[in-house]
Amino acid sequence: MIEAAMIWNEPNNKSHWDPEVDPDWSLYADMVIRAGAAIADANPAVTRVLGGMSPIDPHWVNRMRDHGALDAVDVVAVHGFPLDWNLWPLNDWPARIAEIEAVVPDKPVWVTEVGVGSFGAEEVQVFGLNRTAELLIGRVPRIYWYSLYDLPQEWGATTRHREAEGSSYYRHFYMGLIRADGTPKPALDDYARVAGEMGLMQWFHFEDPRLNDAVDWMKRLGVRQLRTGLSWADSFRPNAVDWFDRQMEALSDFDVTVTFCFTPEHLGIAPHHSSAVHDPQAFADFCAWMIDRYAPASAALPVARTA
């Protein structure tokens, strides 16, 4: 069920990795090295992906190289939202990819999150989706559009400072191709035309009631590649394994890139989902457990590690 495993989400973004706890990312790099080894031991056919960076930063990639983390992964990933959060224009996508290729010429670069919200106008999302497809399809091996669903307002976005971020926070709720009430936006039809070449990135919350509807939509759209997450923090909830099993079984018809992330508060150096941890091997053990359970080495995987 898993063809690729991403080690954390946006580790150079303070919403997802606390720079006060780990200012030089040495603790993160140690976690990558341990997790990369654990994933390879569990199933060497699973592609290991460095946590998708946001912002796109070749200097951060070089820091990861200096810490030895690049030796533990097969792919370097980037995230970009030039019409919503980034301070660069949409047409700069090829140049941004080239910046990372220049510092990691030996590894593929995947775009594991790209999106355009409908916060200002749904017509902007239509334009952004089509232009993104023109710029990235054929330019990188993998692209994942974020996301299928709008985030319901009552759930709250996973950021460090929430409403204090102003309009940047509220944009999180308008990134989907389908509104929170289940009705399609105009961009959904445009996405359907490229769904076979541009995958989807969709987070599923713990016991997410949208799971089965999401699967139905993705099959209808012709989606083949999906990126999602399995939360280390959620693994400590009651009935966590039942939920993980249900989620992964529902997604079994897709080529899944799973993201392992979110620190359990009781294991963090700081009590927060973005904190580095006291024992990085515990995270590596979680990654190995998930690979053993959902992508055991005895099961043949169709995609080679560096695809």
Side-chain angles (χ1 to χ4, degrees):
M1 300 179 191
I2 297 172
E3 64 162 5
M6 177 177 284
I7 304 171
W8 219 260
N9 180 65
E10 299 186 359
N12 65 330
N13 183 326
K14 65 182 179 181
S15 286
H16 297 285
W17 191 257
D18 190 343
E20 294 182 6
V21 176
D22 184 24
D24 67 348
W25 287 277
S26 59
L27 299 179
Y28 170 70
D30 181 39
M31 198 164 71
V32 170
I33 292 167
R34 293 169 183 266
I39 292 165
D41 286 345
N43 187 342
V46 172
T47 300
R48 302 164 301 170
V49 185
L50 185 69
M53 73 188 85
S54 180
I56 297 172
D57 183 359
H59 301 293
W60 183 78
V61 176
N62 282 329
R63 187 185 290 266
M64 291 298 100
R65 185 187 302 281
D66 292 343
H67 287 317
L70 294 189
D71 294 334
V73 298
D74 309 298
V75 169
V76 172
V78 300
H79 295 176
F81 300 89
L83 294 184
D84 287 278
W85 292 301
N86 297 137
L87 302 178
W88 46 271
L90 180 61
N91 288 336
D92 273 6
W93 258 118
R96 298 292 166 169
I97 299 297
E99 285 181 346
I100 303 305
E101 291 173 334
V103 295
V104 282
D106 56 328
K107 298 182 189 297
V109 176
W110 290 4
V111 178
T112 47
E113 275 189 40
V114 57
V116 176
S118 60
F119 180 77
E122 291 184 344
E123 293 82 359
V124 172
Q125 187 178 52
V126 172
F127 162 77
L129 188 150
N130 286 306
R131 184 60 180 145
T132 298
E134 291 172 1
L135 291 166
L136 291 180
I137 291 175
R139 180 63 183 81
V140 290
R142 292 294 178 91
I143 314 160
Y144 297 86
W145 182 264
Y146 177 79
S147 62
L148 180 62
Y149 286 114
D150 275 353
L151 180 67
Q153 293 276 347
E154 61 271 20
W155 288 10
T158 305
T159 71
R160 289 290 303 283
H161 307 294
R162 299 175 69 85
E163 289 87 347
E165 298 173 5
S167 66
S168 291
Y169 176 74
Y170 291 101
R171 288 176 181 273
H172 286 279
F173 298 92
Y174 296 91
M175 302 304 294
L177 299 168
I178 298 172
R179 303 179 189 93
D181 65 5
T183 58
K185 297 181 188 178
L188 185 69
D189 287 340
D190 295 82
Y191 174 76
R193 289 193 282 271
V194 296
E197 300 168 283
M198 180 188 289
L200 273 174
M201 196 287 149
Q202 177 65 54
W203 295 107
F204 292 104
H205 287 223
F206 187 75
E207 296 186 338
D208 197 317
R210 307 168 302 176
L211 176 63
N212 291 334
D213 284 343
V215 170
D216 289 343
W217 270 113
M218 289 189 290
K219 289 182 176 179
R220 201 177 315 159
L221 290 166
V223 173
R224 295 184 294 109
Q225 297 162 348
L226 171 71
R227 177 178 165 242
T228 191
L230 288 173
S231 167
W232 185 25
D234 282 350
S235 71
F236 289 90
R237 292 176 183 257
N239 304 316
V241 174
D242 288 344
W243 162 243
F244 287 167
D245 285 352
R246 184 153 52 91
Q247 177 182 348
M248 297 310 295
E249 179 60 28
L251 303 177
S252 61
D253 289 334
F254 304 97
D255 298 332
V256 176
T257 293
V258 68
T259 305
F260 298 130
C261 61
F262 299 141
T263 300
E265 290 190 0
H266 67 286
L267 298 181
I269 295 172
H272 197 271
H273 72 270
S274 65
S275 177
V277 298
H278 291 288
D279 179 12
Q281 188 58 42
F283 175 71
D285 293 344
F286 168 72
C287 296
W289 172 36
M290 293 292 97
I291 295 298
D292 277 333
R293 190 170 187 88
Y294 302 117
S298 58
L301 294 179
V303 179
R305 231 210 236 172
T306 56

